[in-house]
């Protein structure tokens, strides 16, 4: 018997209504006007969504509650997976995944977090969800993957000359019943030499910058290979939103038409950690850019450094 394929049944993206120009956020983080101008003119950033009055669980619940409205019986949700970038988002006595399960009323779900691949934890969580559902064996069972976090210090709000981060969240409902968008492949690789992350030396940071697109393209190709496809078979790349420069350089390096990478949300939201590709996917769906039967390549990179890609058929 053929093993059931993981399906993405529904995706929702969310960002707080309150937003600031990138110059305002740059100034609040001690950057000068030249650095702020670089983020707008070169990196392609415009608005940063932040709401200091919205707590973490309000942020997470917004897309999750919308996704759950498509499920007549919430008891079908067996797994709630909270994928986030930074390991510590709450006080030590608050178990975030458990608190979110209570907020959503998912009394029958096992709740846990996936986090140690940083911003690439999002695609890893989808892969974990599929494995758990297949092991469970019940084709009516569902998994809900939720992403989102609030940048709580300057260290994580501003990535040196790379990006300025904002708040956003997403929810993905997954099953193995054969409906929805099929997940055709997943590939990830961790380059451990960059494990110091935000605290890398100047020399190591330069090496990370120089090899970033090489590692990312390798994982994009690996995901395509596992799906039995070529980049020409992909309708569009659904990226992470670190900055526009990164993607224009990659397109130029590998000969990929930049119009085949969805870049609109970089200016609209900037980088929202694990939520980027899912917010982008939801935006593309709402604009009618997703075509049934077409394949899409999702990407994400986590500092530390994990490079990941996933192919879905809409």
């Amino acid at each position: 018997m053929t093993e059931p394929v993981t399906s993405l049944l529904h995706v929702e993206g969310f960002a707080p209504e309150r937003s600031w120009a990138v110059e305002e956020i740059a100034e609040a983080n001690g950057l000068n006007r030249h650095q702020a101008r670089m983020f707008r003119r070169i990196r392609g950033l415009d608005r940063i969504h932040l709401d200091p009055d919205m707590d973490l669980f309000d942020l997470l619940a917004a897309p999750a509650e919308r996704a759950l409205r498509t499920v007549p019986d919430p008891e079908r949700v067996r797994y709630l997976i909270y994928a986030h970038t930074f390991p510590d988002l709450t006080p030590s006595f608050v178990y975030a995944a458990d608190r979110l399960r209570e907020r959503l009323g998912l009394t029958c779900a096992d709740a846990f977090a996936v986090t140690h691949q940083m911003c690439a934890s999002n695609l890893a969580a989808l892969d974990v969800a599929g494995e758990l559902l297949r092991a469970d064996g019940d084709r009516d069972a569902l998994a809900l993957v939720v992403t989102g976090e609030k940048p709580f210090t300057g260290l994580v709000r501003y990535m040196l000359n790379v990006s300025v981060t904002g708040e956003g969240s997403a929810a993905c409902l997954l099953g193995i019943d054969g409906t929805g968008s099929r997940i055709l492949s997943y590939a990830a690789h961790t380059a451990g030499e960059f494990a110091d992350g935000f605290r890398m030396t100047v020399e190591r940071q330069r090496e990370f910058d120089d090899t970033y697109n090489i590692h990312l393209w390798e994982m994009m190709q690996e995901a395509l290979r596992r799906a039995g496809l070529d980049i020409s078979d992909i309708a569009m790349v659904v990226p992470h939103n670190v900055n526009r420069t990164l993607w224009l350089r990659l397109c130029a390096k590998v000969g990929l038409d930049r119009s085949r990478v969805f870049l609109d949300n970089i200016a609209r939201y900037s980088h929202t950690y694990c939520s980027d590709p899912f917010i982008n996917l939801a935006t593309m769906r709402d604009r009618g850019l997703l075509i049934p039967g077409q394949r899409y390549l999702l990407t994400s990179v986590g500092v530390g450094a994990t490079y990941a890609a996933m192919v879905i058929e809409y």
Side-chain angles (χ1 to χ4, degrees):
M1 181 181 294
T2 304
E3 190 175 62
V5 175
T6 310
S7 295
L8 180 58
L9 304 175
H10 193 76
V11 61
E12 287 285 350
F14 172 80
E17 289 187 11
R18 296 173 67 179
S19 69
W20 283 263
V22 65
E23 290 84 0
E24 296 176 281
I25 301 299
E27 181 181 0
N29 282 272
L31 307 184
N32 60 45
R33 62 186 179 87
H34 302 292
Q35 290 170 304
R37 185 180 303 145
M38 177 270 296
F39 279 119
R40 176 175 294 280
R41 295 187 178 180
I42 299 176
R43 302 300 188 223
L45 309 185
D46 179 17
R47 306 299 299 180
I48 312 296
H49 290 253
L50 295 166
D51 189 344
D53 297 325
M54 176 178 285
D55 73 18
L56 174 64
F57 296 102
D58 290 336
L59 180 70
L60 299 176
E65 289 172 346
R66 291 207 300 261
L68 288 172
R69 291 188 193 118
T70 67
V71 183
D73 181 7
E75 291 189 0
R76 291 178 59 195
V77 180
R78 302 283 177 78
Y79 303 100
L80 170 62
I81 305 176
Y82 176 25
H84 52 89
T85 295
F86 299 103
D88 301 313
L89 301 178
T90 59
S92 59
F93 56 86
V94 176
Y95 183 27
D98 218 24
R99 180 72 63 84
L100 182 59
R101 173 176 56 186
E102 294 173 5
R103 170 72 176 263
L104 298 175
L106 299 176
T107 56
C108 295
D110 291 327
F112 60 93
V114 172
T115 181
H116 286 292
Q117 294 183 32
M118 301 293 276
C119 291
S121 299
N122 49 9
L123 302 185
L126 298 192
D127 186 59
V128 169
E131 293 296 331
L132 288 171
L133 290 170
R134 279 187 288 274
D136 187 277
D138 183 354
R139 290 189 178 237
D140 287 331
L142 302 172
L144 181 67
V145 172
V146 181
T147 63
E149 50 210 286
K150 297 176 72 72
F152 49 88
T153 69
L155 177 65
V156 301
R157 182 171 291 139
Y158 164 61
M159 301 167 64
L160 182 63
N161 296 328
V162 174
S163 192
V164 178
T165 57
E167 295 175 4
S169 56
C172 299
L173 193 66
L174 299 108
I176 55 170
D177 66 354
T179 63
S181 302
R182 297 192 304 149
I183 296 179
L184 303 182
S185 68
Y186 165 67
H189 168 70
T190 299
E193 62 268 31
F194 306 123
D196 287 338
F198 294 109
R199 294 179 174 83
M200 287 187 286
T201 63
V202 173
E203 293 77 14
R204 187 65 77 183
Q205 180 69 50
R206 187 177 298 114
E207 182 184 351
F208 173 68
D209 294 342
D210 290 343
T211 61
Y212 188 102
N213 278 338
I214 295 172
H215 287 302
L216 175 56
W217 180 241
E218 287 176 348
M219 284 305 99
M220 292 168 68
Q221 289 182 303
E222 179 61 18
L224 290 167
R225 185 191 67 78
R226 295 182 183 185
L229 302 172
D230 187 80
I231 191 64
S232 62
D233 299 312
I234 297 299
M236 190 167 284
V237 175
V238 185
H240 51 297
N241 297 340
V242 174
N243 64 54
R244 186 177 179 85
T245 309
L246 179 156
W247 284 104
L248 296 183
R249 286 176 178 170
L250 187 145
C251 288
K253 182 179 181 63
V254 304
L256 178 64
D257 188 331
R258 67 178 64 181
S259 67
R260 295 177 61 205
V261 183
F262 183 74
L263 300 176
D264 294 11
N265 279 348
I266 292 176
R268 187 179 179 189
Y269 297 119
S270 184
H271 182 36
T272 60
Y273 305 110
C274 284
S275 300
D276 284 354
F278 305 143
I279 290 176
N280 289 341
L281 199 63
T283 300
M284 293 170 67
R285 177 202 59 210
D286 294 344
R287 292 186 184 178
L289 298 177
L290 298 180
I291 302 170
Q294 293 291 324
R295 288 78 172 250
Y296 298 86
L297 179 60
L298 281 63
T299 69
S300 207
V301 176
V303 170
T306 300
Y307 307 82
M310 176 175 282
V311 179
I312 68 168
E313 182 177 82
Y314 186 69

